[in-house]
């Protein structure tokens, strides 16, 4: 019988090893602010207003929220953040977190910027992945029309061909540079088109090794079945299948649209169903040799995966399984897994401060406590500060 992996996400010395006392105090203030709904909402609202009024708040943001959740404004700044993580065995994925203008020029610019992240990532051994959102590379309205079975106009056909070309350019670059690349999941009403683009790239580039990974939002009740079907197609066509299960990010929008347009709600009935399907996707992936990126801040799911890997003799140092968390969050999971020898990658978002505000607003909403309870992050920071004080 395999021995259970010895790992604890309660080891705060390992979790916060990369943080000085001053950085820990700054984290305390950030999470204390996020922990208060009123102050958090007010702060984000004022920051957004200040940028609209062109007030000089960039410096403050870089020292607080932006500095904690983002690697920097540029690729070079983010590589510095990534190299600090690498000292503790935690690897990084440079993630351009800027929402484009939605014209062909901005799609080309985004594609070029992401291509540059791949070139820079390939120069190191601690940035094994690239990542992109298809909506950053082309007009989502076209994907909506395709999924709805509507005919495209000649200009839309041309635009879609360009979108496909950009997707291929990034996947080919990852392949040629010896990297891997993640295709982010998006809204359900054009996700099928994104899936098809990802599978096309997998069929092309996932022959000798797993390069392209598709993302599955497990808060959709059909995602587990979709993942299994996609795996079967990969087996039939003879290419390696890469999957990144996540719990998901567009729930309110999905529910509202389904109600508004009168179709079946694609969302799970409750969080328990999401958790059940997420863990089932992880188990299915390990048992069936899928190349996996387990993207979660859930301690139970992360621990379960270490046990499954042990049970099925998956070498923690191989590239079959990666664990993934966001920069500035769940360091107790990331750093303890890395210390125990598992492959861990942090998403490191970057971009100009004012253009990353939508991303920071989402992070603030995610971290704000429910019914006044302290967030897990805040509790851990407080405990580590106390531990260091007692250590003297």
């Amino acid at each position: 019988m395999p021995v259970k992996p010895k790992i604890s996400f309660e080891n705060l010395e390992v979790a916060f090893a990369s943080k000085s006392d001053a950085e820990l105090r700054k984290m305390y203030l950030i999470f204390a602010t996020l922990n208060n709904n009123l102050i958090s909402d007010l702060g984000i609202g004022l920051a957004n207003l200040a940028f609209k009024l062109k007030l000089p708040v960039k410096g403050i943001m870089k020292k607080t929220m932006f500095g904690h959740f983002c690697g920097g404004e540029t690729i070079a700044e983010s590589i510095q953040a990534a190299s600090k993580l690498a000292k503790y065995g935690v690897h990084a994925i440079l993630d351009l977190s800027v929402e484009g203008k939605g014209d062909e020029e901005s799609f080309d610019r985004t594609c070029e910027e992401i291509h540059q992240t791949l070139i820079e990532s390939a120069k190191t051994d601690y940035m094994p992945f690239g990542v992109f959102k298809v909506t950053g590379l082309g007009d989502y309205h076209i994907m909506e029309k395709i999924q709805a079975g509507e005919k495209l106009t000649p200009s839309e056909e041309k635009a879609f061909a360009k979108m496909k070309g950009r997707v291929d350019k990034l996947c080919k670059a990852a392949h040629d540079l010896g990297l891997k690349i993640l295709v982010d999941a998006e809204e359900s009403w054009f996700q099928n088109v994104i899936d098809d683009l990802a599978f096309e790239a997998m069929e092309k580039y996932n022959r000798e090794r797993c390069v392209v990974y598709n993302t599955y939002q497990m808060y959709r009740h059909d995602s587990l079945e979709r993942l299994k079907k996609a795996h079967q197609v990969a087996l039939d066509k003879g290419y390696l299948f890469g999957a990144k299960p996540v719990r998901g990010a567009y729930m309110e929008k999905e529910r509202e649209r389904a109600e508004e347009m009168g179709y079946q709600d694609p969302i799970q009935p409750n969080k328990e169903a999401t958790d059940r399907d997420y863990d089932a996707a992880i188990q299915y992936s390990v048992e069936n040799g899928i190349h996996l990126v387990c993207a979660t801040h859930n301690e139970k799911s992360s621990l379960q995966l270490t046990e499954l890997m042990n049970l099925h003799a998956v070498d923690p140092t191989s590239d079959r399984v990666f664990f993934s968390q966001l920069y500035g969050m769940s360091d107790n999971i990331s750093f303890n897994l890395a210390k125990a020898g598992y492959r861990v990658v942090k998403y490191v978002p970057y971009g100009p401060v004012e253009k990353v505000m939508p991303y920071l607003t989402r992070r603030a909403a995610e971290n704000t406590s429910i019914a006044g309870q302290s967030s897990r992050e805040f509790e851990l920071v407080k405990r580590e500060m106390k531990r260091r004080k007692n250590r003297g």
Side-chain angles (χ1 to χ4, degrees):
M1 188 72 183
V3 181
K4 265 194 173 186
K6 284 180 184 171
I7 188 161
S8 166
F9 298 136
E10 298 297 315
N11 188 329
L12 301 184
E13 190 173 354
V14 170
F16 297 108
S18 67
K19 304 291 181 193
S20 65
D21 288 351
E23 286 170 324
L24 203 61
R25 282 195 295 275
K26 189 164 78 175
M27 275 181 80
Y28 175 87
L29 290 171
I30 288 165
F31 283 113
T33 303
L34 290 175
N35 212 41
N36 184 307
N37 289 31
L38 183 65
I39 296 172
S40 177
D41 291 348
L42 184 65
I44 288 287
L46 288 173
N48 280 315
L49 179 64
F51 280 119
K52 276 180 192 160
L53 297 173
K54 298 195 164 31
L55 299 177
V57 293
K58 187 186 273 195
I60 297 166
M61 288 301 293
K62 285 191 87 164
K63 285 187 169 71
T64 54
M65 275 277 288
F66 179 89
H68 182 73
F69 292 110
C70 299
E73 291 195 273
T74 63
I75 292 174
E77 284 180 8
S78 302
I79 290 171
Q80 282 187 330
S83 69
K84 286 180 186 171
L85 292 173
K87 288 175 187 168
Y88 299 90
V90 176
H91 291 178
I93 306 168
L94 299 189
D95 182 19
L96 178 64
S97 292
V98 172
E99 295 181 358
K101 288 180 181 169
D103 54 50
E104 290 299 315
E105 196 185 322
S106 84
F107 297 141
D108 280 335
R109 263 200 315 273
T110 297
C111 184
E112 201 38 60
E113 178 75 11
I114 296 169
H115 188 247
Q116 200 54 45
T117 67
L118 297 173
I119 291 167
E120 295 302 322
S121 294
K123 294 175 184 175
T124 77
D125 60 357
Y126 52 81
M127 296 192 293
F129 283 87
V131 63
F132 66 89
K133 269 188 165 65
V134 177
T135 49
L137 305 176
D139 185 352
Y140 72 89
H141 294 103
I142 294 173
M143 292 193 282
E144 265 189 74
K145 279 186 82 169
I146 293 168
Q147 186 158 316
E150 295 172 27
K151 190 170 169 53
L152 299 185
T153 65
S155 66
E156 287 170 337
E157 291 276 10
K158 193 177 171 187
F160 185 58
K162 281 186 179 176
M163 184 195 298
K164 288 177 79 169
R166 294 181 191 111
V167 169
D168 186 69
K169 176 181 176 173
L170 295 178
C171 293
K172 183 180 188 301
H175 174 271
D176 294 351
L177 291 164
L179 298 171
K180 296 167 174 291
I181 196 158
L182 301 161
V183 183
D184 272 347
E186 303 195 54
E187 287 86 347
S188 64
W189 52 95
F190 53 86
Q191 182 61 47
N192 293 358
V193 182
I194 294 172
D195 290 349
D196 289 343
L197 291 169
F199 302 149
E200 206 175 299
M202 281 186 203
E203 192 171 353
K204 206 168 175 182
Y205 300 114
N206 285 15
R207 294 291 176 179
E208 294 85 32
R209 61 186 189 88
C210 192
V211 176
V212 182
Y213 292 68
N214 196 27
T215 304
Y216 291 87
Q217 303 197 95
M218 304 313 296
Y219 70 13
R220 283 182 55 176
H221 53 67
D222 63 347
S223 286
L224 184 59
E225 201 49 46
R226 284 171 48 238
L227 184 149
K228 289 178 179 179
K229 276 183 183 169
H231 173 236
Q232 191 54 54
V233 171
L235 289 175
D236 294 344
K237 292 190 174 182
Y239 60 82
L240 297 166
F241 183 59
K244 185 188 90 170
V246 298
R247 277 173 168 81
Y250 304 101
M251 195 154 66
E252 285 80 12
K253 199 194 282 189
E254 291 277 3
R255 283 227 155 105
E256 280 166 20
R257 188 178 188 271
E259 194 175 336
E260 202 178 291
M261 297 182 71
Y263 60 82
Q264 190 196 356
D265 185 349
I267 304 303
Q268 299 271 20
N270 50 44
K271 187 179 183 298
E272 289 72 31
T274 302
D275 290 341
R276 179 200 66 221
D277 278 11
Y278 187 91
D279 292 339
I282 296 297
Q283 185 169 348
Y284 179 84
S285 297
V286 174
E287 287 174 352
N288 289 279
I290 290 170
H291 289 254
L292 178 67
V293 174
C294 172
T296 184
H297 295 161
N298 185 294
E299 294 175 14
K300 185 171 167 283
S301 294
S302 301
L303 207 54
Q304 177 189 310
L305 178 51
T306 64
E307 290 169 2
L308 279 166
M309 288 172 72
N310 188 50
L311 185 66
H312 295 279
V314 178
D315 182 356
T317 63
S318 78
D319 74 344
R320 259 281 312 284
V321 176
F322 288 83
F323 294 79
S324 180
Q325 289 80 42
L326 293 170
Y327 187 71
M329 291 174 66
S330 300
D331 284 350
N332 65 313
I333 296 176
S334 309
F335 282 78
N336 277 297
L337 282 169
K339 178 86 172 174
Y342 293 90
R343 304 289 295 271
V344 181
V345 285
K346 283 274 201 192
Y347 262 66
V348 179
Y350 79 94
V353 178
E354 63 280 11
K355 291 184 179 172
V356 178
M357 283 307 294
Y359 173 82
L360 291 175
T361 303
R362 287 196 295 275
R363 290 291 76 78
E366 196 171 307
N367 276 280
T368 301
S369 62
I370 298 161
Q373 294 169 356
S374 290
S375 73
R376 173 77 166 139
E377 302 279 351
F378 190 37
E379 280 302 322
L380 293 172
V381 170
K382 285 196 287 189
R383 278 169 50 196
E384 174 61 4
M385 287 175 78
K386 190 177 176 183
R387 188 192 71 79
R388 289 187 187 186
K389 191 180 174 185
N390 291 342
R391 186 190 60 189

